[in-house]
Amino acid sequence: MEFVQSISSSAGMFVSLSKSRSFSFQNMRGDFILNPIFLRFFTASLHVILFLIVIISWVYKKFVSNGNETPKHNVIRRTNLLYYRPTLFSCLGLSVFNLVLCLLNLFYWYANGWSDEKILILSDLGLKTVSWLALYLFLQIHYLNSRETKYLIVLRLWWGVFMSVSCYCLVIDLLYYKKHHYLSSLFWASDIVSSVMGLVFCYVGFSGKKNEEDTILQEPLLNGGATHGEVPNEPTKGDETVTPYATSGLFSLFSFSWMSPLVSLGYKRTLNLEDVPQLGSSDTVRGAFPILNDKLESYRGESNKVTTIMLAKGLFFTTSKEIVLSAIYVLVYTLASYVGPFLIDTFVQYLNGNRDFKNEGYVLVSAFFVAKLFECFAQRHWFFTVQQAGYRARAALVAKVYNKGLTLSSQSKQGHTTGEIINFMSVDAERIGDFGWYLHDPWMVILQVALALAILYRDVGLASLAGLVATVLVMLANVPLGSLQERFQDKLMKSKDERMKATSEILRNMRILKLQAWELKFLSKIFELRKVETGWLRRYLYTSAVTTFVFWGAPTFVSVVTFGACMLMGIPLESGKILSALATFRILQEPIYSLPDTISMIVQTKVSLDRIASFLSLDDLPQDVVEKLPESTSEIAVEIINGNFSWDIANSAPTLKDINFRVSRGMRVAVCGTVGSGKSSLLSCILGEMPKVSGSIRLNGTKAYVAQTPWIQSGKIEENILFGKEMDRQKYDRVLEACSLKKDLEILSFGDQTVIGERGINLSGGQKQRIQIARALYQDADIYLFDDPFSAVDAHTGTHLFNECILGLLDSKTVIFVTHQVEFLPAADMILVMKDGKIKQAGKYNDILKSGSDFMELVGAHEEALSALDSMDVGKTANGEEKGSENAKPALQKQESLKEGNDKVDNSGGTKGQLVQEEEREKGNVGLSVYWKYITTAYGGLLVPFALLAQILFQILQIGSNYWMAWATPVSKDVEPPVGGSTLILVYVLLSIGSSLCIFVRALVVVTIGYKTANILFNKMHLSIFRAPMSFFDSTPSGRVLNRASTDQSTIDLNMASIVALFAFAIIQLLGIIAVMSQAAWQVFIVFIPVVAICIWLQRYYIASARELARLCGVCKAPVIQHFSETLSGAITIRSFDQESRFRDINMRLIDAYSRPKFHTAGAMEWLCIRLDVLSLITFAFSLIFLISIPEGTIDPSVAGLAVTYGLNLNMLQAWVVWNLCTMENRIISVERLLQYTSIQSEPPLVVESNRPQSHWPVNGEVNIRDLQVRYAPHMPFVLRGLTCTFFGGKRTGIVGRTGSGKSTLIQTLFRIVEPTGGQILIDGINILSIGLHDLRSRLSIIPQDPTMFEGTVRSNLDPLEEYTDEQIWEALDKCQLGDEVRKKAEKLDSAVFENGENWSVGQRQLVCLGRVLLKKSKVLVLDEATASVDTATDNLIQQTLKQHFTDSTVITIAHRITSVLDSDMVLLLDNGLLKEYNSPEKLLEDKSSSFSKLVAEYSMRSSSSFENLSIARV
């Protein structure tokens, strides 16, 4: 700064350069070596030599490296050169220093004339700039990974010469100054800096090298396996290190340099999650959650109630450090931002010649510069700190919501569905985290308005009061708009909850929807819910458009009122004061612009806090229901005394009444009864899951529970079985053997390392159930509770499980099992017979058989089923069995060898791969096609030019109005104004109204584009998802789809259009500012263009990391949601195993994995912005220096003042452009993720118009299967391997086979849920592959393995397509034994069905599925283990009903109960995907060696013999 001052103060010296005898080329004579001008020529030549050295060395190195070096594979090295980095930055520093000198002289001489000497000096500086920059690049490229320990000898020699010449020049400067008493500051600065740098380079070049021996000794120790200093490319993984932020020094924190390694790594290659470091302990959920939890516990005391205030206070204390720190930053930022407007009037007066003291210009420039510097740094740290606080608050909240979800009582759960609870986590907690951005706005606005008024009072006196009134009016306009927005936001969130609830349920049950051809009906239900949601969305968006108009017009309104008041009060307006006022209004714009957002965000955050607080206030599962007895204190394992329990406490009639029983240690207790008698409820009350009305429960020891509906976590099979326990291989193998899982694991390509899809989607029902049992066995608990686990497996496996598990491994344990299989009852020490919620009978098998009718009914039904067996001549003797077994051996061996052969073929047939793959994420640039698709989705992009035109007109009119005020007002009081006062205000008002109208048009157009686009993308994505094949849902966890339907859709609904628009508008504004600044000093372009180039390069350098971090955020969010969803559905199992703490730990790990990329995204953004701010400061400072350096009168002070007014916003706007670009690139990923799901490969067409079957097809229902081959994915083994058979029309065919043999796959292929890989299926001669899916599926009926009910009413569950009358529905209900049950309910057919049919037992749900097929009356009916969950009596009723109503239909039955298939016309036995036997049951039973015959014999023996004797024999 000093030498610039000298340049301007000694103007005469430079003007007389060419006249000076001692400087003149013509008169140099013998003293030319003492002439500074000649020395410039000499140093310029010297730098030409340097440039040539660099170029030649570059070429030489290139050839040598290409010719001699062998390629190094993935080797990363560090240079051995001493002081490499200081040398590098010294070169760059010298280049920049010479560039600054060059530009300053260029501008000075541009104003004061040119000469040959000046051109020589300029050339010298230019050559130095280029040469040092070339050297910097050379060192950067060729020495960074070099083995060399010394710089090139020629380079070191040159450095020596450079130092000598620089010192010689400095001596000449001293001699010249002594003789002539003046010398340009330029020469002093250049020669002093060159001498110092020359000394540095000489020291570096000649002082030695790094110790090579040290390198060789150290590096292998640090990087095992590295030799001779070569380090393998195994960088330390980020997830093993803590973020540098936690340990950084002050400068690193201040400049965000701690982010540099990650940004640099992201620039070199695509970032993965393991590259992102762990958070510091205070930022992890383990650091934040205990604070929030402790505060909430202390606030609520004994009560369970959490209020919004409590939650807000708790969050404040969780993030108090960050909040206080950010408040200090906000204060510094606000004060610094008003220094500019305060000084503008003084600056204009200075340019007009009114100067108070010498060097006032430099003092003003310094004040502007320092204030902007403080403003930049304070703003950057404010933004980062509030984001940091937001991530901590969000993490703590998500953990709190998760913990609450884990302890919710069943009654509380009924009020909130899974979808709603997930929304608390994915939307509400996220929004509360984002509130940090707006946290300080309320008090900051007051401070900013106060400072603005103070400056306005100084400029326009009492007229500032009018400005205050106008500002208050504008802010009051918020009140009605804010309340409207709050109402719309609340309604929007509620409607979104409804949609997410329905979407979640549909995704869970997509298989049944496709089987029944209901998917389009349910899609229309989603579209109807979305229609309600978009109704509120439209209101919300258009209200926000009005708000935008009001507030973009607000500063104009305030300025018009203020200037109008000046005219009325007769206060003289001068251009300096006007510009100061305009700059103040521009700063005031920011809080006024952001005020609607702040109000909207406060509203949204309050709504979210209310919702979460009400959720946290719900009742937990009471801890005192079950009294835990101390271990080993008594022989009692379970005891219930006078127990009355009810799922609904409000209901006067309890679900379970007068329950009294005692179970001693080691007892086996069986619970039986008809469907809906309260068997599962009895187990729930033992677990403490069912609300207790009265009585007491005592429990002694640890417990394990196997639910009726299997709950399997997504993950490896091994992880599901271990369930948090350490691996004990011997015990593990015993459990696998007992659960018959070894054979299944052999078939699976990855064995027990196979990744299970969500809810065990890629396993059969029996496999899921056996994995559940294995999980319970491995826990080695004291008390085991089994809820009818044998129904889902075939007869043979059921017997094996009962023998090996309950009678074997659990022989010494207490076991309480619910069962419908009467044949297992004799083995029990006690049998409890349930009816209507009461224990009707209790005792041993033979005792209660004689004493009551209820048990007799169950056993009678079983005997009736067995009578079919008795009528057939089946060998039941042991000899017969053995003989049969011997005969079967060759056939079995043959089958085994065939199976092994087939296995080998399959495994070699293609690459193996898991069914559930890692979530796909795009990598690299977000393609322009994504932006183009987004912009052109609505109306083909026709509205976009109108939005841009409106913004351009607004910018022109706004600049025009400000230019008018600067030009039309005098610089000082003694100058005559060019126009009258009324004309001045009238023109200003007209221009202002025009600009406001442009903003209104722009706001409406942007909202319209955003709204339309969001709807189109929503519809496209959902249509694509609903038309996706079932394999998509099998391999895609629903969390991924829900994440897109909630978070990504929300971004597109509310933010995306405004973000894209803001980016375009920010560029237009930036161009406007540069245009205004160039009016005063076009030379600003000389700095602005390279600065913009560096900004763009920095942005490109940064965006590679930022983009991948944003994508990682998207990918890491889904596991949090999915884990939460799984936890909610399996909460009973988790609690029964006492595994809550382990699941909380997993949740915390997943939350931190999501917070890591979020935290570093924020750090990367501020890393970029702080650098952009400093660069834009250079532009601004340069323009200020130029304005004070030019002679007085060269430029109009008003125009110069206007340039400075706009320049004050330059750094903010330049950073805003890049910030918007980065935000847009990060947010556009939501569009990219939605577009991914708009192009899912769809199923074959629903209807093939050219090949539609006749309306009455199928007539006979004959199913002809030819060489059918099926596998679930190209990389997976075949499940069916060339099946050929015919199911005759009107006949009943039973399909039996071991679990996993391909029974369910055959049925799925019949419905084309899975497309055959080879072969064909004909129904009545029509190839099912040639017709549409809906034509096929709507003509077939199925009662699926997993009974499904949807939230709604009984009517909507039986008849979702609304095709039948109430009479027909009642008739179907009566036929399936549910009529009386429904008539008991007050609302009859409109009785509520909760999510998943939770308020109906599994057996009742199965009967509802039967009701559906009775309504449909198809020619082909499939029963997929349809009666697995009902007792034998109900099963017999169902079979009779089906016989009666489907006499002429083809009925295909998959059954585990042999009795269900014995009365079939044909039996098909599958084994490992192959047809093993197919004949009538009679024929198969005649052949004692047939597998079917042996199955029946085993079932018959199991049913007839006493398990009591069997268990004694085992002992």
Side-chain angles (χ1 to χ4, degrees), residues 1261-1281:
E1262 181 168 295
V1263 181
N1264 194 349
I1265 298 170
R1266 297 177 186 169
D1267 192 29
L1268 188 65
Q1269 293 178 314
V1270 179
R1271 61 176 164 195
Y1272 283 96
H1275 58 259
M1276 296 184 81
F1278 280 101
V1279 184
L1280 296 178
R1281 317 157 174 229

Side-chain angles (χ1 to χ4, degrees), residues 443-457:
W443 66 266
M444 189 175 83
V445 166
I446 295 165
L447 179 62
Q448 286 180 316
V449 169
L451 289 169
L453 283 172
I455 293 171
L456 284 174
Y457 185 76

